[in-house]
Amino acid sequence: MHFEPATMETAALYHLLTRIVAPRPIAFVSTRSGDGELNLAPFSYFSLGGLQPPSAVFCPVNDRKGRMKDTLRNIEETKEYVINVVTREMAEAMNETSANFPHDVNEFEVAGFTPEASTRVRPPRVAESPISMEMELFEIVTHGPGPLAGNYIIGEIHLVRIREEWLGKDGLPDPDAIRLIGRMGGDYYVDAIPSALFELERPKGP
């Protein structure tokens, strides 16, 4: 069976593609507006970029009326933000922040998360998250007009904060302990429990 995006309604295309590109890591992004209002929202269109300099990209799409998300507006205003990771223990509260709240609503308060002062940027990190990356905006690339169009936010990673109890013997984040979650299609998520993990050594080549 073939699917041609150009012939599909946007909602149908969304449900198709989000079931194909999965599981997706979640960027739990905390921002502060130019007038000081806090915002917290999850985005599963998220990936690392390059390493020289270290960068990450996530993509808040416009809403169904073509309006930009508060996260995008805040980053345009201040050029700073924090990407926090999401664990299984945080999942239900994180989901609460994904509702379309008015601009002046503080999602930290709605979902019961604790804002904690960052080191290099003005927006706070999420205290409950084991890992946070303090980011400076490099560029916003807008792809398409109107409802559900993409806005790729490319940022440079200035500081990575990791709570020590989540580090393994090698000094790096321990995937067995952290239990990150990922986004699937529909209302589905995936839980990276230890029994779901496996290792493959990278081939050495010829």
Side-chain angles (χ1 to χ4, degrees):
M1 189 171 183
H2 294 175
F3 296 87
E4 295 187 30
T7 67
M8 298 175 65
E9 293 184 356
T10 304
L13 181 60
Y14 167 81
H15 288 296
L16 171 67
L17 295 181
T18 55
R19 293 197 180 208
I20 294 171
V21 184
R24 301 183 303 279
I26 299 169
F28 201 24
V29 182
S30 46
T31 59
R32 186 186 296 273
S33 70
D35 58 8
E37 298 284 350
L38 295 184
N39 182 267
L40 182 62
F43 299 91
S44 66
Y45 299 170
F46 167 48
S47 182
L48 284 176
L51 296 175
Q52 295 292 340
S55 61
V57 59
F58 75 100
C59 182
V61 298
N62 295 340
D63 70 15
R64 287 172 173 78
K65 294 183 179 180
R67 298 172 300 198
M68 69 169 62
K69 300 286 180 66
D70 290 340
T71 298
L72 174 59
R73 181 185 295 108
N74 291 350
I75 292 173
E76 283 187 336
E77 290 177 357
T78 69
K79 318 302 183 192
E80 296 179 333
Y81 54 103
V82 180
I83 295 176
N84 308 275
V85 306
V86 181
T87 66
R88 178 63 188 89
E89 292 75 16
M90 297 167 60
E92 284 77 13
M94 174 275 298
N95 189 47
E96 291 296 316
T97 69
S98 65
N100 291 321
F101 293 107
H103 179 62
D104 60 351
V105 170
N106 181 343
E107 289 86 354
F108 277 94
E109 295 178 352
V110 169
F113 285 110
T114 308
E116 183 175 76
S118 297
T119 302
R120 299 284 184 86
V121 299
R122 286 165 291 180
R125 56 197 177 206
V126 176
E128 289 78 8
S129 176
I131 303 172
S132 300
M133 299 187 296
E134 299 183 18
M135 308 290 300
E136 180 183 9
L137 176 66
F138 171 71
E139 186 176 0
I140 298 172
V141 178
T142 298
H143 188 200
L148 302 184
N151 304 281
Y152 295 87
I153 297 178
I154 306 167
E156 185 172 339
I157 304 167
H158 281 293
L159 185 137
V160 179
R161 168 262 195 183
I162 305 174
R163 286 162 50 185
E164 288 189 11
E165 61 265 35
W166 300 109
L167 295 175
K169 294 179 180 179
D170 59 1
L172 297 172
D174 183 355
D176 286 333
I178 294 177
R179 283 188 67 180
L180 297 176
I181 62 170
R183 191 76 165 88
M184 307 292 285
D187 292 334
Y188 287 96
Y189 289 80
V190 63
D191 182 359
I193 59 175
S195 62
L197 305 178
F198 64 96
E199 294 180 88
L200 290 175
E201 185 177 350
R202 184 183 291 271
K204 294 181 173 59

